[in-house]
Amino acid sequence: MGISNIKTIFVSLLAISMVACASGSAIVTGTKRTPLEPSQVKLYLESPAKFEVIGIVNASSDAGWTEQGSVDYAVQELKNQAAKLGANGVLLGATGESTSTVVGGYGTGYMYAIPVTAKTVSGKAIYVSE
């Protein structure tokens, strides 16, 4: 493999890592509230005493340099999605990962596939009453 090919692969990997990000979605199942700051959203493993379900939130990320980094980005996006609905909490549900493949090398005469693994999290966006 020549220096030119190594440079092409390196530049492609660098470009992929720069555009990697977290993404999320929400489904409203209850009553939306005034949006909050994501820093106001707390994660729960068990149901708090008094709460109402606002919706279902999902997030995924392949942006971290480590597995934990990807999870952290996904959790932050989960909080972002919940905050948009006015939820002050997320009752965590499932966590996992999904894998896709990015194909590169167009115009170089070589084709290569790069597996990309994204960490996923989901839960119920909730409003907790004190």
Side-chain angles (χ1 to χ4, degrees):
M1 185 179 286
I3 297 292
S4 175
N5 292 335
I6 292 172
K7 285 181 183 178
T8 301
I9 291 171
F10 178 75
V11 169
S12 297
L13 288 173
L14 183 61
I16 290 168
S17 69
M18 292 175 80
V19 298
C21 60
S23 63
S25 63
I27 300 170
V28 178
T29 60
T31 303
K32 283 179 73 171
R33 294 175 171 264
T34 303
L36 302 172
E37 290 296 318
S39 61
Q40 296 177 280
V41 179
K42 183 177 176 183
L43 300 177
Y44 294 88
L45 290 175
E46 297 180 12
S47 300
K50 288 181 69 176
F51 70 96
E52 85 179 63
V53 177
I54 297 175
I56 300 167
V57 288
N58 299 291
S60 66
S61 174
D62 61 357
W65 288 104
T66 64
E67 283 189 38
Q68 186 61 52
S70 291
V71 170
D72 292 344
Y73 280 116
V75 167
Q76 184 58 50
E77 180 59 26
L78 195 72
K79 288 182 174 185
N80 293 345
Q81 293 297 321
K84 289 178 190 177
L85 300 180
N88 62 2
V90 174
L91 186 54
L92 289 174
T95 61
E97 63 183 33
S98 63
T99 303
S100 58
T101 302
V102 176
V103 177
Y106 297 109
T108 64
Y110 296 95
M111 295 294 288
Y112 49 88
I114 302 167
V116 178
T117 301
K119 296 298 181 182
T120 60
V121 290
S122 65
K124 293 180 183 176
I126 60 175
Y127 186 82
V128 180
S129 307
E130 298 297 329

